[in-house]
Amino acid sequence: MENYDKEVLDLAMEAGRILLDAGAEIFRVEETIQRIAKAFGIEKCSTFVLSTGIFITAENQEGQIYASVKHIPISGAKLHRIAAVNQLSREIVEGKYSVKEAEEKLEVIKHMPGKRGIVQMFASGVGSGSFCYLLGGNLEDMAAAFLSGFLLYALILGFGKREKRTSKIVTNLAGGFCVSFFAVLFYRLGLGNAPGSILVGSVMPLVPGVSLVNAVRDFADGDYIGGGVRFLDALMVALGIAMGVGIMYFLYYNLTGGILL
């Protein structure tokens, strides 16, 4: 296969890899790969996308075959990268970029940073406080939930900065334990009157909402393998959170003889 065709297919593969790594749906990854390949003149291109891998095969006019496989571990959502790759693929279809220019743009997207840590921590706190309010908490409860969510995300960011990758189950177990500890601590210090609302609101930043929504969308599109993997991943996250909260409740009950909620 000619070098040009390989460059195009490598570009399409990299775009799909970035999307899947960022938590995009299966149909979006397949559609983007097909769109990029067709925009640069490759008609016979087949893709098979799973939640953890991409398979591409293509054939040129001379009958030469191209095949590529990429393994992509499941990771958290990076919506800013999904939006950037979507925009790039549409601009490619409009003919705005050559292959080289598209590769350069994709390289920029690949290293696109997310929001600063303090912004993520503040957003986590605001989300926790808001959910606490929706669950019937008052202003003091919201303040306690805000602080719990804020400190929770500081912990999550700390795990993310480790050189050795921390297991998702361990991260969510530790997160569930710590957010429960913070909620109880603030309540015992007199900040808040509804520990249940504080706890549930504080734990919301850990809930795998994007994974669940994508799993349902994959099921709706007939991608049962991909949807099943994402759904199982969301269940494992929920299990880790539940174990963390349960361990905290068990320790609190046995050390103080009181009840948590």
Side-chain angles (χ1 to χ4, degrees):
M1 182 168 280
E2 296 179 2
N3 289 334
Y4 175 80
D5 294 335
K6 288 183 179 179
E7 288 180 0
V8 170
L9 293 167
D10 286 341
L11 173 69
M13 170 63 87
E14 184 62 15
R17 188 199 67 77
I18 293 173
L19 285 175
L20 199 58
D21 179 67
E25 308 91 322
I26 300 297
F27 80 88
R28 189 186 302 276
V29 178
E30 292 179 341
E31 183 183 86
T32 299
I33 293 173
Q34 294 282 358
R35 185 187 294 129
I36 292 175
K38 189 174 182 179
F40 287 116
I42 297 180
E43 299 291 339
K44 295 182 179 180
C45 178
S46 299
T47 61
F48 178 58
V49 180
L50 299 173
S51 297
T52 56
I54 301 176
F55 305 80
I56 295 180
T57 59
E59 181 180 352
N60 63 11
Q61 296 179 349
E62 289 76 28
Q64 295 175 312
I65 302 296
Y66 169 96
S68 182
V69 177
K70 287 281 187 182
H71 172 251
I72 300 97
I74 294 178
S75 60
K78 306 176 186 70
L79 301 181
H80 60 295
R81 293 185 184 174
I82 295 176
V85 174
N86 279 342
Q87 182 62 30
L88 176 62
S89 67
R90 284 167 173 76
E91 290 175 350
I92 288 174
V93 171
E94 294 171 2
K96 293 184 177 181
Y97 300 108
S98 65
V99 176
K100 290 294 184 182
E101 291 171 338
E103 288 176 350
E104 292 172 0
K105 292 284 290 184
L106 207 57
E107 190 68 20
V108 173
I109 294 172
K110 185 166 63 174
H111 296 96
M112 182 184 294
K115 298 295 183 181
R116 290 186 302 163
I118 188 65
V119 174
Q120 295 182 53
M121 292 162 61
F122 183 78
S124 175
V126 171
S128 297
S130 300
F131 275 108
C132 178
Y133 175 77
L134 291 174
L135 294 168
N138 57 26
L139 289 178
E140 289 186 357
D141 299 326
M142 290 173 63
F146 173 87
L147 293 173
S148 297
F150 186 89
L151 294 173
L152 166 66
Y153 224 81
L155 174 74
I156 293 175
L157 292 175
F159 276 120
K161 291 180 180 179
R162 294 184 62 204
E163 291 185 9
K164 186 176 181 181
R165 184 174 178 271
T166 306
S167 167
K168 185 179 290 188
I169 294 179
V170 173
T171 300
N172 287 285
L173 191 152
F177 180 90
C178 290
V179 79
S180 303
F181 173 79
F182 295 144
V184 172
L185 176 64
F186 293 132
Y187 174 71
R188 297 291 291 181
L189 291 174
L191 183 60
N193 303 305
S197 298
I198 296 172
L199 174 59
V200 176
S202 302
V203 85
M204 281 298 173
L206 292 173
V207 175
V210 174
S211 295
L212 282 173
V213 171
N214 285 348
V216 172
R217 294 191 68 174
D218 287 339
F219 278 130
D221 289 322
D223 296 312
Y224 301 116
I225 296 177
V229 171
R230 290 186 189 277
F231 189 74
L232 181 60
D233 178 66
L235 287 180
M236 294 303 294
V237 171
L239 176 63
I241 297 170
M243 288 175 61
V245 174
I247 291 172
M248 175 58 201
Y249 177 87
F250 177 81
L251 292 176
Y252 180 86
Y253 182 83
N254 283 275
L255 291 174
T256 66
I259 58 173
L260 181 60
L261 300 177

